[in-house]
Amino acid sequence: FKIDDPDPEAKHPHVILEDAGVIGKYNRANRSLFHFNEHVSFFVLNVVMASQVLPVETFYLVIVYMIGRVLHQVLYSVGGFGPHALGFGFALVSGATLEMMNLRIFVAFREGW
């Protein structure tokens, strides 16, 4: 973080996240990691539920999700905002597919399979 205020003696100076250089790379990588921490619990829950009925499909979706998260981490830390969208897309699509698989499994069981 750095102070970004024209008056260095201000009572409440503006503090912003450093996004340039090596410190910026570290901050972006750390932010990407915390995004993963925020979303992984829902993904794990969906994996546990879907793997009981469709283990092979779930396995492939987990691989796609992990590739997406690694791409997100690397591309966001190196390239900043924008290039990381490729990894985010992989993770988003695989996570949403897993959720819809669980919804379909639920509906199928409810209807008597």
Side-chain angles (χ1 to χ4, degrees):
F1 294 98
K2 65 181 179 180
I3 296 176
D4 184 38
D5 202 313
D7 180 15
E9 301 299 322
K11 185 175 181 181
H12 301 290
H14 299 128
V15 178
I16 61 173
L17 185 69
E18 179 69 52
D19 63 351
V22 176
I23 295 172
K25 286 182 182 179
Y26 172 79
N27 286 336
R28 288 189 303 271
N30 203 22
R31 184 172 183 215
S32 180
L33 185 61
F34 273 94
H35 282 250
F36 173 73
N37 289 341
E38 291 171 354
H39 298 115
V40 74
S41 59
F42 298 110
F43 186 77
V44 169
L45 180 63
N46 279 307
V47 167
V48 169
M49 291 188 301
S51 65
Q52 304 300 312
V53 179
L54 299 166
V56 175
E57 293 83 353
T58 303
F59 176 73
Y60 288 127
L61 287 170
V62 168
I63 290 173
V64 171
Y65 183 82
M66 288 298 126
I67 289 171
R69 291 309 306 177
V70 168
L71 280 174
H72 183 276
Q73 175 91 20
V74 171
L75 294 176
Y76 191 50
S77 64
V78 173
F81 190 80
H84 76 291
L86 176 66
F88 178 75
F90 279 129
L92 181 69
V93 169
S94 62
T97 303
L98 198 56
E99 290 174 6
M100 293 304 108
M101 279 174 40
N102 279 325
L103 178 63
R104 181 63 187 117
I105 291 167
F106 171 76
V107 169
F109 273 112
R110 186 141 165 102
E111 294 174 351
W113 197 265

